[in-house]
Amino acid sequence: MPYHKDKQQAFQAAQQGTEQARDVYEAIVRNDPNYGHDFKRLENEVNEAMEQINNALEVASETQRPQLMQFQQDLQTILQQGNNQG
């Protein structure tokens, strides 16, 4: 079933993208002189992950959908918190 495989791959890419964005966020130190540069990287990671989530949502199964929506929320929260730290 190639369709099922695509679904799984899309979901895993979205999950991985979200985790990467989380890692970048956690690596940013609030008073770091490179904060601006790091935040730009965080924004890029989040945007990439959001794209992967949107792609995954197009083919997602009913069980994957709520988790993908949660990833989106997590990423939005990460961006907001990152913004507040700057």
Side-chain angles (χ1 to χ4, degrees):
M1 272 203 257
Y3 181 72
H4 178 73
K5 191 174 178 213
D6 287 349
K7 241 187 243 198
Q8 196 52 39
Q9 281 177 332
F11 181 80
Q12 284 171 343
Q15 189 172 28
Q16 225 170 0
T18 301
E19 284 167 11
Q20 275 179 305
R22 246 187 233 127
D23 289 346
V24 171
Y25 172 71
E26 285 166 13
I28 291 176
V29 180
R30 190 187 174 124
N31 298 320
D32 188 330
N34 292 327
Y35 185 82
H37 172 77
D38 289 343
F39 185 70
K40 207 74 204 132
R41 186 175 158 220
L42 176 64
E43 281 181 318
N44 291 339
E45 287 288 339
V46 168
N47 289 337
E48 229 172 271
M50 284 291 200
E51 219 170 281
Q52 291 167 324
I53 291 168
N54 289 334
N55 291 342
L57 278 169
E58 286 176 22
V59 294
S61 67
E62 287 310 303
T63 53
Q64 289 171 333
R65 197 166 289 279
Q67 211 171 346
L68 289 165
M69 307 291 261
Q70 185 60 55
F71 292 159
Q72 276 182 326
Q73 282 184 318
D74 291 353
L75 290 170
Q76 285 163 348
T77 301
I78 284 172
L79 263 193
Q80 285 166 350
Q81 289 172 343
N83 262 326
N84 293 342
Q85 285 189 341

